[in-house]
Amino acid sequence: MDSLFVQAFVYLAAALVVVPIAKRLGLGSVLGYLLAGLLIGPWGLHLVGAEGGQDVMHFAEFGVVMMLFLVGLELDPATLWRLRGPILGLGGLQVLGTATVVAGIALALGLPWQQAVALGLILAMSSTAIALQSLAEKGLMKSDAGQKSFAVLLFQDIAVIPMLAVFPLLATVTVAGGGEGEGHGASFVDHLPAWQHGAVVLGAISAVVGAGRFLVRPAMRAVAQTGLREMFTAAALLLVIGVTLLMSLVGLSPALGTFLAGVVLANSEYRHELESDIEPFKGLLLGLFFIAVGASIDFGLLLDGPVKIVGLLVGVIGVKIGLLLALGRAFGARRDQGAILAVALCQVGEFAFVLFSFAGQSGVLPDDIIRPMVAVTALSMAASPLLLAVNERFVLPRLVTVKAETRESDVEDEHNPVIVAGYGRFGQIAGRFLRANGIGVTGVDVDSELMDVLGKFGQKVFYGDASRLDLLRAAGAGTAKVLIVAVDQHAKAMEIVHTARKHFPHLTILARARGRTEAYELIDAGVEEVYRETFDTSLRVGADALRALGVHAYVALRGARTFRRYDEQSVRELAALRNDQAKLVSTARERVSALSTALQADLRGAHGFGDHAWDSETIREGLGLVPPSEASAAPEPAHEPDATTEA
Amino acid sequence: MSHGSGERGTTRLRAAPRGASGRVLVLVAHPAMHRSRVNRVLASSILGIEGVTVHDLYDAYPDFDIDVKREQALLLAHPIIVWQHPFYWYSTPAILKEWQDLVLEFGWAYGPGGHALNGKTFLSAITTGGPDTAYQPGGYNRFTIRQLLAPIEQSMHLCGIRTLPPFVVHGSHRLTDADIEHSAVGYRRVIEALRDGRLDPDRLDGPSLAAATLTDSILAPGA
């Protein structure tokens, strides 16, 4: 127990120290975890041994399983069906192509063909964990490169199964302990004849789909009725672990099984609940997994034969990148998307660890090949976040339609007074409006596809991440007057705001906020104007609904204005209180009831906020012509608590 | 206090900050200030003067959503009120009418208990397209400026506010830049004299308070 706590302490502490630093340096969290692993591993502070690291890695692989479940939840069956072309075509060709090229090289280096084929198949694998985590962190999952990466990774997951079946046939080395593998290899179906094996596998898949469709919903409803939050978490974990067990039992990849379960549940009303329950486990386990990978990197081998290891590393990555670039192009990816795809998948993945150990046990590969290749695998996983960062910073800007060189000079010449960070559906409207008024606008966005579309309409937008100081400077933040932050990811928006506030304090910042909470944070960070993205539109809908109910248009308009003024004022007031939860709630209640009192008074025809001049009734009362009415005697609305109002 | 100073003529007019106070409150109303020749220069000439608050209504309320409480607070914080605007259809731009309707509340500015503005002084500072000769009986516009301003003067009277003869810049379309600059200097002198209490209201009863007529004769004795 003590040692478990000590281990947990070491891992968590390492992650907490290193990951924020890595993130701060723009290296991404994956590289941070890997570095944390290096730090505590046998080649760093030696707080965990190589063996311990291996054990933890096997345990933490469950994080990958959870990640695939979450990916499945985001992907409903229709979308998955749409992706069948890329999955089979692109994925299939990636695995076959990489295997063929690697095997060819291995043959040329004098390996027997069986070993060459096994090596090729293993090295064709990419790391789902690293690729998806990195792409998601950069907000690229929905991009062309993200979708294609995902398709390839999914195919690789499927391909592991036949590989495990084929490996024993490739055995060239006699193994002392016999051919029975562990983990993915061991299942009771291995002893069945092929048709029964197939039937069991099909049955298991049907069971997952069927249960997802017909069993999970009622079960979740029953769990929800208990009203206990931890029951939901338990149910979600049970679901994922159950599917994992079932899949292992029939010799399928657990990741694939949970992915399938996720897809089946993608349209269910419990999707978000499941997501938020599994997410933290996934995050921690994946982090643990990356740390374990970092700790398991064998620097001894690297020091013994640095040329050999580095050569292998460069060779493997080179082959994978080259092939992916070609395939990406063949499948219609634009150059920059192809580059992201190639670099995202250039590492050898976590499945390789499993496959190498299986290959060792079943006598396919000798130990003197496996050991350096495992080191290469780990190093390639460590290298790929770095390569992604390099790609993003130095390669992509050159590939995008607007070239980096011309960008610099253009910006210099233009001296645009306005920079719009995030030129999607939000930023675009502001940008178009400004341009229509003859104001020069420098648009910056990370979505290069969007840029092409905009380019066709003569709208120039630059590629880049506006949270980076050098990019903001290149975009002319030094001379601009206004910065519009219109990106849709709140964390990104906050980064941009912090960078701009710190280095370009003269800029007036107008920022898009998702909702109140985000608005509070932006106000806290010193943003002058904050715009909740749906506020104005929904208020207009509300006013139009009033009109549809027969309220006079001008009264409805004024009501909406009043509401808006009060609401915006309250956001500012509450922003100051947001760390004091109790005060926040009570103040929010007060504001809501005050506003409601005032608006209702307005509708009743009494003066809510100062329409006295248009209210002849007040004058009649003032002149003593009629007795004072209840409505017009209403005191200052802001101090009038109203028990009937919902807070 | 009014806004921080800037270069004359280039400073953008703005709404007065909340809680501003001083001697003279100048409510500027021009819906297209950037196209204005005269009003912009006039307003710029009094920006940043000690004790003078310049308040651009179209900047403060671009959608006419006038904040009554804020406007009333501004009125209470200044003994002298000036409206500066072009003379549209023998009256004010629309926002000043809206301002009147909303801010000068029954029971506050007039009517029973409506004494908040009693004793204040009011000045119209207006620009017209026509020459001064047009504004007289038999002229193109048939009435004098002061006659045409009667509804406003009476509104002020109802609120217990004394109205001074208007400050008028005539024939704005034909003025040269030098003429405009000359008017602006006169305008600034009037505003400063008002601020310092050097204008003697009892000596002011003419049809208008053109810059040229602002001689020592109307300055309070000993000022």
Side-chain angles (χ1 to χ4, degrees), chain A residues 428 432 435 450-460:
Chain A
Q428 242 174 67
R432 269 170 49 208
R435 282 177 176 161
L450 176 87
M451 246 154 269
D452 256 19
V453 176
L454 289 171
K456 284 185 193 132
F457 291 94
Q459 297 254 24
K460 197 164 81 180

Side-chain angles (χ1 to χ4, degrees), chain A residues 267-351:
Chain A
N267 287 328
S268 96
E269 64 270 41
Y270 295 107
R271 188 184 116 193
H272 293 293
E273 190 67 41
L274 288 168
E275 259 173 9
S276 59
D277 280 338
I278 295 292
E279 183 74 46
F281 290 103
K282 175 216 93 175
L284 271 181
L285 281 176
L286 269 190
L288 196 58
F289 174 73
F290 295 135
I291 295 179
V293 170
S296 72
I297 295 179
D298 188 350
F299 278 90
L301 282 173
L302 186 61
L303 293 179
D304 287 349
V307 179
K308 179 180 160 199
I309 299 287
V310 171
L312 282 171
L313 181 67
V314 172
V316 168
I317 290 182
V319 165
K320 297 191 85 162
I321 288 187
L323 205 85
L324 281 162
L325 279 177
L327 283 175
R329 177 154 285 193
F331 277 78
R334 292 196 350 228
R335 289 170 63 199
D336 58 307
Q337 295 290 316
I340 295 175
L341 169 74
V343 178
L345 299 182
C346 75
Q347 73 294 97
V348 185
E350 55 273 4
F351 272 124

Side-chain angles (χ1 to χ4, degrees), chain A residues 155-180:
Chain A
F155 182 86
Q156 293 179 355
D157 260 5
I158 302 171
V160 171
I161 302 153
M163 280 187 205
L164 288 168
V166 166
F167 268 27
L169 307 177
L170 298 172
T172 54
V173 188
T174 43
V175 189
E180 193 60 24

Side-chain angles (χ1 to χ4, degrees), chain A residues 157-452:
Chain A
D157 260 5
I158 302 171
V160 171
I161 302 153
M163 280 187 205
L164 288 168
V166 166
F167 268 27
L169 307 177
L170 298 172
T172 54
V173 188
T174 43
V175 189
E180 193 60 24
E182 53 159 16
H184 289 264
S187 66
F188 80 97
V189 291
D190 287 351
H191 311 291
L192 298 175
W195 69 271
Q196 284 181 13
H197 187 160
V200 169
V201 168
L202 271 181
I205 292 177
S206 318
V208 169
V209 174
R213 264 204 115 83
F214 304 109
L215 212 72
V216 172
R217 276 194 200 188
M220 282 301 198
R221 201 168 303 131
V223 170
Q225 274 162 5
T226 64
L228 293 171
R229 166 119 195 121
E230 68 273 19
M231 283 295 104
F232 235 112
T233 312
L237 278 177
L238 181 71
L239 180 71
V240 175
I241 293 176
V243 172
T244 304
L245 279 178
L246 180 66
M247 290 296 125
S248 311
L249 212 57
V250 302
L252 283 182
S253 144
L256 202 62
T258 48
F259 169 73
L260 202 60
V263 172
V264 175
L265 293 171
N267 287 328
S268 96
E269 64 270 41
Y270 295 107
R271 188 184 116 193
H272 293 293
E273 190 67 41
L274 288 168
E275 259 173 9
S276 59
D277 280 338
I278 295 292
E279 183 74 46
F281 290 103
K282 175 216 93 175
L284 271 181
L285 281 176
L286 269 190
L288 196 58
F289 174 73
F290 295 135
I291 295 179
V293 170
S296 72
I297 295 179
D298 188 350
F299 278 90
L301 282 173
L302 186 61
L303 293 179
D304 287 349
V307 179
K308 179 180 160 199
I309 299 287
V310 171
L312 282 171
L313 181 67
V314 172
V316 168
I317 290 182
V319 165
K320 297 191 85 162
I321 288 187
L323 205 85
L324 281 162
L325 279 177
L327 283 175
R329 177 154 285 193
F331 277 78
R334 292 196 350 228
R335 289 170 63 199
D336 58 307
Q337 295 290 316
I340 295 175
L341 169 74
V343 178
L345 299 182
C346 75
Q347 73 294 97
V348 185
E350 55 273 4
F351 272 124
F353 293 127
V354 177
L355 288 168
F356 273 127
S357 97
F358 182 64
Q361 282 149 9
S362 42
V364 181
L365 290 171
D367 202 42
D368 60 339
I369 289 187
I370 292 178
R371 283 189 52 224
M373 289 319 293
V374 166
V376 166
T377 300
L379 283 173
S380 77
M381 286 167 87
S384 70
L386 266 179
L387 287 174
L388 268 174
V390 168
N391 183 49
E392 182 182 53
R393 193 153 298 192
F394 300 110
V395 181
L396 291 185
R398 283 160 207 282
L399 293 182
V400 179
T401 343
V402 182
K403 290 215 173 9
E405 298 85 343
T406 57
R407 170 181 76 190
E408 304 273 344
S409 57
D410 277 359
V411 169
E412 214 48 52
D413 291 341
E414 281 172 7
H415 277 299
N416 286 333
V418 181
I419 298 172
V420 178
Y423 215 73
R425 54 195 185 90
F426 193 99
Q428 242 174 67
I429 296 174
R432 269 170 49 208
F433 173 75
L434 287 166
R435 282 177 176 161
N437 279 281
I439 306 289
V441 171
T442 303
V444 182
D445 203 291
V446 286
D447 185 349
S448 50
E449 268 168 81
L450 176 87
M451 246 154 269
D452 256 19

